[in-house]
């Protein structure tokens, strides 16, 4: 069974440059604009039986970020029931392996994320990583692998996985 993990900030939600003070203010995450095309795609996928869709997002502590992110998902992506919120700075691959009680990831564990560090860690542990180009990232080449900012292409990349 394929599992697809979608990041929030800069992937399903807009990427917005902000200082720590703003990031930690109440409602900051709640007010991020959804990236409608990829969000609709993720919500549609979540209704399929042959695929499991997850939110996989990091949150800052000592503020309402976790609460805000949960509310954001309740409002914008109610179809996606599986939500993994991890502490900011956590290795996303390791946290998912722990949750799934697996020693490694496989090609059927797909991460869609805008952040090269997360993608590289995912790949290192055996998962399939796809870089989402949100119009602001992706200028460097810190991640070697598939990248797209187009939903049709993303669908092709996902279905090309064994
Ligand atoms: Mg992100």
């Amino acid at each position: 069974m394929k599992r697809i993990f979608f990041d929030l900030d800069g992937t399903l939600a807009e990427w917005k440059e902000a200082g720590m003070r703003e990031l930690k203010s109440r409602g900051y995450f709640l007010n991020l604009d959804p990236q409608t095309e990829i969000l609709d795609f993720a919500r549609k996928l979540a209704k399929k039986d042959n695929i499991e869709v997850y939110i996989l997002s990091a949150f800052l502590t000592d503020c309402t970020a976790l609460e805000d992110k949960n509310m954001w998902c309740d409002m914008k992506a109610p179809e996606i029931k599986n939500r993994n919120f991890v502490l900011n700075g956590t290795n996303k691959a390791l946290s998912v392996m722990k949750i799934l009680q697996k020693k490694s990831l496989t090609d059927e564990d797909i991460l869609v994320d805008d952040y090269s560090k997360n993608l590289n860690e995912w790949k290192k542990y055996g998962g399939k990583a796809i870089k989402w180009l949100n119009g602001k990232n992706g200028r460097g080449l810190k991640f070697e692998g598939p990248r797209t900012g187009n939903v049709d292409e993303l669908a092709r990349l996902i279905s090309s996985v064994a």
Side-chain angles (χ1 to χ4, degrees), residues 7-13 15 56 92 112-115 118 134:
D7 170 51
L8 285 184
D9 306 70
T11 303
L12 297 187
W15 175 254
L56 180 55
K92 285 188 172 179
V112 183
D113 202 306
D114 64 319
Y115 188 33
N118 292 336
N134 57 25

Side-chain angles (χ1 to χ4, degrees), residues 10 12 34 36-37 51 56 68 72 92 107 118 135 138 141 156:
L12 297 187
T36 326
E37 274 187 51
I51 215 157
L56 180 55
D68 282 350
W72 193 97
K92 285 188 172 179
D107 262 0
N118 292 336
L141 283 168
R156 272 194 294 278

Side-chain angles (χ1 to χ4, degrees), residues 42-151:
R43 293 171 65 187
K44 257 182 235 156
L45 276 189
K47 290 185 196 152
K48 295 191 172 186
D49 311 323
N50 57 346
I51 215 157
E52 280 176 7
V53 175
Y54 293 75
I55 300 285
L56 180 55
S57 172
F59 67 95
L60 293 166
T61 51
D62 306 317
C63 64
T64 59
L66 180 58
E67 192 187 323
D68 282 350
K69 288 192 168 190
N70 260 311
M71 265 162 37
W72 193 97
C73 290
D74 287 344
M75 290 180 346
K76 318 277 193 208
E79 297 83 358
I80 307 178
K81 310 283 183 216
N82 306 307
R83 300 175 193 166
N84 292 336
F85 293 112
V86 301
L87 280 173
N88 195 43
T90 303
N91 181 317
K92 285 188 172 179
L94 289 177
S95 70
V96 164
M97 284 156 58
K98 197 169 170 187
I99 291 160
L100 299 176
Q101 297 185 298
K102 291 174 28 156
K103 289 202 174 93
S104 65
L105 300 172
T106 74
D107 262 0
E108 294 207 306
D109 300 310
I110 303 165
L111 175 67
V112 183
D113 202 306
D114 64 319
Y115 188 33
S116 291
K117 181 175 179 285
N118 292 336
L119 297 161
N120 284 325
E121 287 169 352
W122 197 263
K123 216 168 100 175
K124 180 180 159 196
Y125 285 96
K128 163 129 183 142
I130 301 171
K131 180 154 184 152
W132 180 251
L133 301 177
N134 57 25
K136 291 175 182 160
N137 66 341
R139 288 187 195 91
L141 283 168
K142 285 177 225 143
F143 167 70
E144 283 175 39
R147 52 180 59 214
T148 184
N150 175 282
V151 167

